[in-house]
Amino acid sequence: MYSLKDFGVKKEIGLLNNGSKIFHFHKQNSPISAIVIFDAGARHDPVGKEGTAHYTEHMLFKSTKKFKDETETGLFLEGIGGSANAFTGVDFLGITAEIGMQKDLHKIVDFVHELSRNSLFEESKVNTERGTIFGEIADYESNPALYIQDLTQQVLFQGTYAARPIAGSKETVGSISRDDLFNFYLSRIAKSSMNIVTAGDADFGEMQKMFNDIFENEKLPELVFDKKRLVLSRGENVKIKLYRDTDQVFIGFSFRTCPYVDNDTTPLELVRTIIGSGFSSSLYRKLRTENGLVYSLDVSSEGSFDRGYFSVITSTSKDNVQKVLDIITNEFKRLKKGDISQEEVDLAKNKTIKAKFRETQTSAYWATFHLSEALFNPERPEDLSDWMNKVEKIDLTDVISVSEKYFKPESWYLSLCGDMSKEDFQVNY
């Protein structure tokens, strides 16, 4: 059995006076990393104004009561050797902050408070940032290596909020006003509690007191997320975005799976390792080592509140699309038939578990790894050692079972970015 002591880490969990939860992983002599999460993801974008959450994230840094502009916002942590960022997902919006020394811990607390409670959303800065976001959208849509990820979500979760582009479109972002952004900020961030995940050499009691002191006048309910499973229909199973006169084609072959808290999540992660993690994985070997058809391979198994997916994303020349598709589909046929060896399972478990002793050397990793638990399983959060022990217990029958359950012939989805049409290939699955 593994425990956090194997990593020299102690887990501490508390509740702030304003209703926010805080999860801390104490590791001596380590820098401090923090991720603060709000229930402010793109799922809450109004219809016709997609991109509101993402636009709001951009505006957090533009000006606050303390910081007159983005430069001052950045210097607040950068001046002590730290860094900060923010991100928007379908389900949440987050602020990240890192510092090197415990004596500067108050800086992280001040920074989070300033951005989450005192951002100004000045009209002039809103209009300036709109142009920046237009450029971001254009860059994203013009790059098939990036857009294939978005297209995969569109075909998997078509007809639902999870299929909408997080950044929105030029049309929807153009329709978002300063009031739209500020009202979103007030309702989903400034007047909302949050989940905080921290890691490093910080005293938990001291940190909890700092957060309580600065958010002292608030009484907010704990974050409660709707966990009803997303209702999905089969719909179209192939989606293509045309990029004319390009030889390279980006391919996404995927299946819907299960929400994060489902018991199938861990066996599916092991399947991901078997077929798509490292030089020794089966798909990497068949696509690149043996046939030289692709350069890179991205295999993902992800779960959220109400949905999950398993995907293979790669790229190849137009002439080789059929060969690559056949290799990928044959691999899933093998999994579906249960043609998996004990040696493959043992190798995947060994790779997965022992890699953690290398990957967990940074505080940022500890915070990031436990982010999903803080988001999707806050009532009964598990830690890294719990996850490792679950992986250790998985056997061949578990891997075969989830493969048979999710990789059905009638359940696949295909996304393509390139100079292709449906007449140019056939999915033999």
Side-chain angles (χ1 to χ4, degrees), residues 127-268:
N127 292 331
T128 299
E129 194 62 19
R130 196 188 313 272
T132 301
I133 294 174
F134 284 163
E136 181 181 356
I137 292 170
D139 285 349
Y140 196 81
E141 291 183 347
S142 65
N143 187 340
L146 296 176
Y147 197 75
I148 188 64
Q149 303 280 350
D150 206 39
L151 195 66
T152 297
Q153 299 300 305
Q154 289 178 33
V155 72
L156 278 169
F157 303 116
Q158 55 200 275
T160 74
Y161 67 81
R164 301 187 299 175
I166 292 172
S169 65
K170 189 171 183 179
E171 291 71 30
T172 62
V173 171
S175 73
I176 297 170
S177 69
R178 185 267 176 188
D179 286 345
D180 292 329
L181 295 170
F182 193 63
N183 289 335
F184 186 92
Y185 171 72
L186 289 178
S187 63
R188 307 230 64 95
I189 297 176
K191 295 183 179 179
S192 171
S193 55
M194 53 203 170
N195 284 350
I196 306 164
V197 186
T198 62
D201 194 357
D203 180 85
F204 182 68
E206 180 184 358
M207 179 164 53
Q208 192 172 19
K209 183 179 185 304
M210 286 181 182
F211 275 109
N212 277 328
D213 286 347
I214 201 166
F215 291 98
E216 61 180 341
N217 297 318
E218 298 181 346
K219 291 292 182 183
L220 302 166
E222 289 186 51
L223 293 184
V224 178
F225 298 99
D226 181 7
K227 295 183 176 61
K228 294 179 183 177
R229 191 156 185 159
L230 197 62
V231 177
L232 297 162
S233 58
R234 174 63 169 149
E236 61 176 336
N237 59 351
V238 178
K239 199 168 184 67
I240 300 173
K241 181 171 176 62
L242 184 63
Y243 289 82
R244 292 191 182 278
D245 303 322
T246 57
D247 181 61
Q248 199 76 355
V249 178
F250 288 80
I251 302 167
F253 190 74
S254 51
F255 297 85
R256 296 167 178 167
T257 55
C258 57
Y260 176 83
V261 296
D262 195 283
N263 290 332
D264 290 338
T265 296
T266 309
L268 282 167

Side-chain angles (χ1 to χ4, degrees), residues 14 32 52 145:
I32 299 166
T52 298

Side-chain angles (χ1 to χ4, degrees), residues 15 35 76 78 89 95 97 128 135 187 218 243 268 297 321 332 336 349 407 411-412 423:
L15 189 67
I35 307 176
F76 188 71
E78 290 172 7
I95 298 170
T128 299
S187 63
E218 298 181 346
Y243 289 82
L268 282 167
L297 177 69
V321 167
F332 281 102
K336 177 68 175 62
K349 288 168 65 172
F407 305 145
S411 300
W412 58 268
E423 292 70 37

Side-chain angles (χ1 to χ4, degrees), residues 12 88 191 286 294 322 332 371:
E12 298 167 290
T88 307
K191 295 183 179 179
K286 294 170 184 178
V294 308
Q322 189 63 57
F332 281 102
L371 182 60

Side-chain angles (χ1 to χ4, degrees), residues 11 19 47 71 73 88 122 147-148 178 200-201 223 234 237 250 270 282 285 336 339 353 374 397 401 412 423 425:
K11 176 175 66 176
V47 175
T71 301
T73 307
T88 307
E122 295 172 274
Y147 197 75
I148 188 64
R178 185 267 176 188
D201 194 357
L223 293 184
R234 174 63 169 149
N237 59 351
F250 288 80
L270 209 63
S282 57
R285 187 176 68 252
K336 177 68 175 62
D339 186 16
I353 292 171
T397 59
S401 176
W412 58 268
E423 292 70 37
F425 63 89

